[in-house]
Amino acid sequence: MAKGLKPAGGMPADPPRHVLCVGAAVLDTLFRVHEMPRGEGKVLPYAMEQIAEGMAASAAYAVVRMGGRASLWGAVGDDEAGHRIVRELGQSGIETDGMVIVPGARSALSTILIDPAGERLIVPFYDHKLHETKRSCTPDDLAAFDAVLVDVRWPDMALDVLTMARQMGKPAILDGDVAPVETLERLAPAASHIIFSEPAARSLTGAGEVAAMVPLLQARYPDIFIAVTAGPAGCYWSEPGKDTLFFEPAFGVTAVDTLAAGDIFHGTFALAIAEGMPARQAIRLSSAAAALKCTVFGGRLGAPTRLEAETLLQRR
Amino acid sequence: MAKGLKPAGGMPADPPRHVLCVGAAVLDTLFRVHEMPRGEGKVLPYAMEQIAEGMAASAAYAVVRMGGRASLWGAVGDDEAGHRIVRELGQSGIETDGMVIVPGARSALSTILIDPAGERLIVPFYDHKLHETKRSCTPDDLAAFDAVLVDVRWPDMALDVLTMARQMGKPAILDGDVAPVETLERLAPAASHIIFSEPAARSLTGAGEVAAMVPLLQARYPDIFIAVTAGPAGCYWSEPGKDTLFFEPAFGVTAVDTLAAGDIFHGTFALAIAEGMPARQAIRLSSAAAALKCTVFGGRLGAPTRLEAETLLQRR
């Protein structure tokens, strides 16, 4: 099949579309606990996993699992965790030759406690030195990619990538998660598509209801595809030039671990857009992928394959 | 100075005495937080350190800092954390050639949150496979050591080491920290000296006051030196054949991190006994070392030098 054509049915494009993900790359330590801690003392975990992930990194993994190609531009320290992050992401099929190793900075580390209801306590450590510099972002650097997806972790780099991608006519997708409002307001106008999380959309609009946030954001960014994900409540969106609020309910699942579910949504969406999929179909596929992820313990490692996500879609 | 003579003044023996420490070797991730978490959500740490430590490992480091030689027998998995634990402990001056790498087991990892008052929330992960086997413990294996110190983490190995050390007439010291009562009751009779933590002594005796615990434990183990440490409240002890309850107050300090303070006490005590120091002098030196440790953030890395501890002693 020639590049540029839409894939037949629900299967990935052939050759696979290539998504550049830009942002967080973290070594997470996940502890499963029977109860969340309340103050000092000791909590004995009954299981432990260490996973190289982070918003952009987990999204990149979703792209790979969904049958696409993913490259990650992220920054790690020149330390044991950093080399491990790059190696393990590479072993997961993510192309890591664009990763930056920052001398004198320490890699991002998080500890995450997850209780039997899938609720999370997150203790994330970031060294501000990690994202003080940028890597190059020329038309040559972006030529290979069919879409870009950036998170809010490396704002200067994200802005370069969004701006250059739009200049080149490529989908430029922003994972609009919680960040300082000035960061969101700086990145948003550079994107072609923004998927906000509910708390981030609330911080930008002050609205209480998700259905009210989307029109406010659409009015502010009229040329941009705007979506707001609301977890188990589903996803609302609007499209430039259409005066409509769209909605797609989430798939009902029993969640055991919601960690990285949003990232799996974003990665799947980016690949779907890179494949030229219509918006509703892309949102539905992303919702299915995120829902399936929630049923599996282990952060991004629970990302489903394309076939698993399509099977859930066909069962609805 | 010939081996076996007591050191002059407060300085370490020359040649240095050699203590074998047996038990925990863990990769700790320390996060400094402004407030302890109470349930799910996110806690942003303002500082982070990763330190290879654990009870026996931290005690071994205290031995080194106090001018002695320390070997560590502990078990780690054949994984990244395990190799890092062995390497970093070696870089700290601990002799690690007796460490065991267990194929198929995962290394012990802990996350520890420390608040501004030095209070701790500990999330320790142990793989039970780590301590299912033992290493050899012949008279040849122990010939080089002047004393042994074991914790409760590797009970089968600890029992072998205590038993062989006593047969060879060497001080055989048990760090009697919280553990299943049957573990403590199995190890205690094999020791020549036991330093109980207050909660462990309470679990064995049911007594409410530390001063009441020591005589009960002494009656149960009449041939063994028995001490119970009570943190800032000081240390109580009794000696075989003496019908006296001894007490030494703790040094008053402003604690910023009590992590590993008990281990620093135990390591210092083991070296002092290996040097032939009288009991009260050994307890005083150990109290000074533990107090100084509490004034420095960073777990075992806050262990003072011999000179620093002696200086505090002379100021009292």
Side-chain angles (χ1 to χ4, degrees):
Chain A
M1 188 192 295
K3 197 161 176 175
L5 293 184
K6 272 192 282 179
M11 297 321 291
D14 181 20
R17 297 299 180 266
H18 195 166
V19 177
L20 171 63
C21 300
V22 179
V26 182
L27 183 59
D28 279 349
T29 301
L30 277 61
F31 293 111
R32 302 186 81 165
V33 298
H34 294 293
E35 255 191 297
M36 282 294 168
R38 308 200 172 267
E40 66 264 15
K42 192 177 271 195
V43 177
L44 293 176
Y46 62 92
M48 188 273 295
E49 291 294 335
Q50 287 194 305
I51 307 171
E53 48 191 4
M55 294 174 288
S58 296
Y61 184 61
V63 171
V64 172
R65 292 283 282 170
M66 285 287 145
R69 282 179 65 187
S71 288
L72 179 66
W73 290 3
V76 297
D78 187 15
D79 51 17
E80 196 137 338
H83 295 286
R84 178 169 173 184
I85 288 166
V86 174
R87 190 180 63 247
E88 292 190 2
L89 292 175
Q91 287 165 350
S92 286
I94 298 165
E95 294 166 46
T96 58
D97 46 300
M99 292 287 292
V100 176
I101 295 174
V102 183
R106 296 197 295 167
S107 298
L109 297 180
S110 287
T111 287
I112 299 162
L113 274 59
I114 301 178
D115 75 8
E119 294 291 349
R120 304 173 309 210
L121 169 65
I122 305 185
V123 188
F125 173 77
Y126 283 100
D127 182 349
H128 65 94
K129 289 196 208 106
L130 215 44
H131 295 125
E132 281 173 354
T133 55
K134 296 190 291 190
R135 50 151 291 155
S136 80
C137 178
T138 65
D140 270 2
D141 291 322
L142 292 196
F145 304 115
D146 300 299
V148 302
L149 167 68
V150 306
D151 68 28
V152 294
R153 183 61 61 202
W154 195 1
D156 293 343
M157 191 75 246
L159 186 60
D160 283 7
V161 170
L162 290 176
T163 305
M164 180 60 73
R166 282 201 83 174
Q167 281 176 20
M168 298 171 76
K170 298 175 191 283
I173 303 156
L174 169 62
D175 165 4
D177 202 353
V178 174
V181 167
E182 53 271 31
T183 300
L184 288 170
E185 290 183 337
R186 194 165 147 242
L187 296 178
S192 63
H193 299 67
I194 311 177
I195 316 280
F196 287 104
S197 71
E198 184 180 341
R202 179 168 294 117
S203 76
L204 278 181
T205 63
E209 296 300 312
V210 178
M213 297 170 189
V214 175
L216 290 169
L217 291 163
Q218 185 71 73
R220 197 182 300 181
Y221 307 115
D223 299 333
I224 304 179
F225 175 102
I226 302 284
V228 179
T229 56
C235 179
Y236 293 82
W237 77 95
S238 63
E239 302 175 25
K242 295 188 191 170
D243 196 19
T244 310
L245 177 66
F246 298 97
F247 174 70
E248 188 66 33
F251 291 80
V253 292
T254 301
V256 298
D257 173 18
T258 59
L259 180 67
D263 311 321
I264 301 308
F265 188 106
H266 303 131
T268 304
F269 182 81
L271 178 64
I273 295 301
E275 290 180 357
M277 205 179 278
R280 181 174 295 273
Q281 197 183 332
I283 294 281
R284 280 172 53 88
L285 181 64
S286 305
S287 298
L292 287 170
K293 189 264 109 34
C294 292
T295 64
V296 180
F297 179 77
R300 73 160 168 100
L301 299 181
T305 63
R306 184 71 165 257
L307 186 61
E308 289 165 344
E310 293 286 355
T311 303
L312 179 62
L313 278 174
Q314 281 156 27
R315 276 216 309 269
R316 175 176 267 188
Chain B
M1 188 192 295
K3 198 160 175 176
L5 293 183
K6 273 191 280 178
M11 298 319 292
D14 182 20
R17 297 298 179 268
H18 196 165
V19 176
L20 170 64
C21 299
V22 178
V26 182
L27 185 59
D28 279 349
T29 300
L30 276 61
F31 294 111
R32 301 186 82 165
V33 298
H34 294 293
E35 256 190 296
M36 282 294 167
R38 307 200 172 268
E40 65 264 15
K42 192 177 270 198
V43 176
L44 293 176
Y46 62 92
M48 185 274 294
E49 293 294 334
Q50 289 194 305
I51 307 170
E53 48 193 2
M55 294 174 286
S58 296
Y61 185 60
V63 169
V64 171
R65 292 283 284 170
M66 286 287 144
R69 282 180 66 188
S71 288
L72 180 65
W73 290 3
V76 297
D78 188 14
D79 51 18
E80 197 136 337
H83 295 286
R84 179 168 173 185
I85 288 166
V86 173
R87 190 180 63 246
E88 292 191 2
L89 292 175
Q91 287 165 350
S92 286
I94 298 165
E95 295 166 45
T96 57
D97 45 300
M99 291 289 291
V100 176
I101 295 174
V102 184
R106 296 198 295 168
S107 297
L109 297 180
S110 287
T111 287
I112 299 163
L113 275 60
I114 301 179
D115 76 7
E119 293 291 349
R120 306 174 308 210
L121 170 65
I122 305 183
V123 188
F125 172 77
Y126 285 98
D127 182 348
H128 65 93
K129 289 197 208 105
L130 216 43
H131 295 125
E132 280 174 352
T133 55
K134 295 190 292 188
R135 50 150 291 155
S136 79
C137 179
T138 64
D140 270 1
D141 292 321
L142 292 195
F145 305 116
D146 300 299
V148 302
L149 168 68
V150 306
D151 68 28
V152 294
R153 183 59 60 203
W154 195 0
D156 293 343
M157 191 75 247
L159 185 60
D160 283 6
V161 170
L162 290 175
T163 304
M164 181 59 74
R166 282 200 84 175
Q167 280 176 20
M168 298 170 76
K170 298 174 191 283
I173 303 156
L174 168 62
D175 166 3
D177 203 352
V178 175
V181 167
E182 52 271 31
T183 301
L184 289 170
E185 290 184 338
R186 193 164 148 242
L187 295 179
S192 64
H193 299 68
I194 310 176
I195 318 279
F196 287 104
S197 70
E198 185 180 340
R202 179 168 295 118
S203 76
L204 278 181
T205 62
E209 297 299 312
V210 179
M213 297 170 188
V214 175
L216 289 169
L217 291 163
Q218 185 72 72
R220 196 181 304 180
Y221 307 114
D223 299 332
I224 303 179
F225 175 103
I226 302 284
V228 178
T229 57
C235 178
Y236 293 81
W237 76 95
S238 62
E239 302 175 24
K242 295 187 190 172
D243 196 18
T244 309
L245 177 67
F246 299 98
F247 174 70
E248 189 67 32
F251 291 80
V253 292
T254 301
V256 298
D257 173 17
T258 59
L259 181 67
D263 311 321
I264 302 308
F265 188 106
H266 303 131
T268 304
F269 182 81
L271 178 63
I273 294 302
E275 290 180 357
M277 205 181 278
R280 181 173 295 273
Q281 197 183 331
I283 294 281
R284 280 171 54 88
L285 182 64
S286 305
S287 298
L292 288 169
K293 189 264 107 38
C294 291
T295 65
V296 180
F297 179 77
R300 73 161 168 100
L301 299 180
T305 62
R306 185 70 166 257
L307 186 61
E308 290 165 343
E310 293 286 355
T311 303
L312 179 62
L313 278 176
Q314 280 156 27
R315 277 215 308 268
R316 175 176 267 188

